[in-house]
Amino acid sequence: MKKSVLAVLALLAVLTALWLAALAGADANAGGNFWALRKLAIYYTGIAALGCMSAGLLLATRPAWADRLLGGLDQAYRLHKWLGIAAVSLGAAHWLIKLVPKWLVAQGWLERAAHKGGRGAESWLDLLRKPAESLGEWAIYLVIPIVLLALWKRFPYRPAFLLHRVLAGTYLVLVFHGAALMPPAYWLTPLGAVMAVLMAAGSWGAALSLAGRIGARRRVAGRIVALRPHPGSGVLEVECQLDAGWPGHAAGQFAFVTFGRGEGAHPFTIASAWRDDGRLSFAIKALGDYTRALPQQVAAGDALTVEGPYGRFDFAGRGERQVWVAGGIGITPFLARLEALAAAGGSRQPVDAFYCTAAADPGFIARLRQLAEQARVRLHLRVTPQDGLLTPATLAEALGGKDGVARSDVWFCGPAGFGRALRHGLAAQGLPAGRFHQEAFEMR
């Protein structure tokens, strides 16, 4: 979260600096009375909100460069979320600065601004101002609740997906609003050039979203070849055969899987190593309405679409040893890594894998032990109802104390709260900065 917030602040700092530079030629003589300052505040909040929203729409297209630059698509989506929060906050401020003084005038608590004389013949841009103002106001009424609902994790996935489509269309209205109402003098400054690029990029992202083409170039069709349910842990393994076109993947990556058009794509971690044969497996935990109903809705032979691969959970570290910690379904990326290591003859460095689960399925545990043995990985099974939670102190003790912790790279996948506790606790135990690796698999 910290990096995402800093990135948003950096974007706002750039837009603020460009806006201040643009003032020298555009509004230097605007005066210092309340109404002049209000006008400047309206311009600033509108530009900042539209800039953040444009960057967010661009990231929503899942560009490959963002995956590389930001260290994984999970980080791009985290930044996308904070850009949305910033855009809504600034948009609300823009709306309030515009309307509240008018309400105060209507109540007689504020003196109306003095109107200047006639403006002469109206240009084509002047003719667009009224519709741009009206459409922009109604767009703000839509954007604020849409973004808040999309950020609410308990809001169902499918409606949230559809709301993003509505948001894309609303964004195009806001682009018209901003382009028509931004002072013409601003367009002749570096601020105008940057905003033009941002709005063009955001509009392209919105168009892809409305057309259902986000990630289209990375989609590969296939079919389900086997389903293996694990009732003890509530996990369904789905093995599929993809058509030609899948570029291959590394252990730890994930993909968006579409089992049916009615629901749309869901992100799942790939649970198998790549063998250049088009075969992929996913381990899907029954965590919500959709995943709970999935075993009754899919069957061997059904068609599906897989988009990816994405992610940077790549097991590349500088430590002498690796420590893997999996909580529940967080074991999935480690399954793929175990398969890859087993196929390569085993790990060439010490690896300790801690699997924490509330429900140990015997068949799955037997397979996990076999894979760990073939991969030369030391497996530590921790069934939490009888063994208790894995704590930083317990983990440090298993690694031989602070010296063992300091020589390790820790790879974690599991509940976010569990990860935060381990990260802070292991830092206190001597884990060097940058040696705790965790992918934020939440897409919102």
Side-chain angles (χ1 to χ4, degrees), residues 218-312:
R218 304 181 76 168
R219 294 178 196 162
V220 178
R223 68 183 187 279
I224 299 172
V225 296
L227 296 170
R228 288 184 289 272
H230 298 279
S233 57
V235 173
L236 175 68
E237 280 193 76
V238 179
E239 185 176 352
C240 58
Q241 177 69 50
L242 299 184
D243 298 340
W246 184 254
H249 63 272
Q253 291 191 295
F254 67 95
F256 289 87
V257 184
T258 304
F259 291 105
R261 289 188 176 183
E263 177 65 22
H266 284 251
F268 298 113
T269 302
I270 303 170
S272 57
W274 178 242
R275 299 186 181 87
D276 203 23
D277 58 359
R279 288 285 179 113
L280 266 70
S281 291
F282 298 93
I284 301 172
K285 176 80 171 179
L287 295 173
D289 293 341
Y290 173 72
T291 49
R292 277 194 292 268
L294 196 60
Q296 290 77 46
Q297 296 177 349
V298 296
D302 285 356
L304 82 170
T305 302
V306 180
E307 177 201 328
Y310 297 103
R312 296 282 159 171

Side-chain angles (χ1 to χ4, degrees), residues 37 51 61 64 142 198 365 404 407:
L37 294 175
T61 64
L142 278 175
L198 283 173
I365 295 301
R407 293 185 290 109

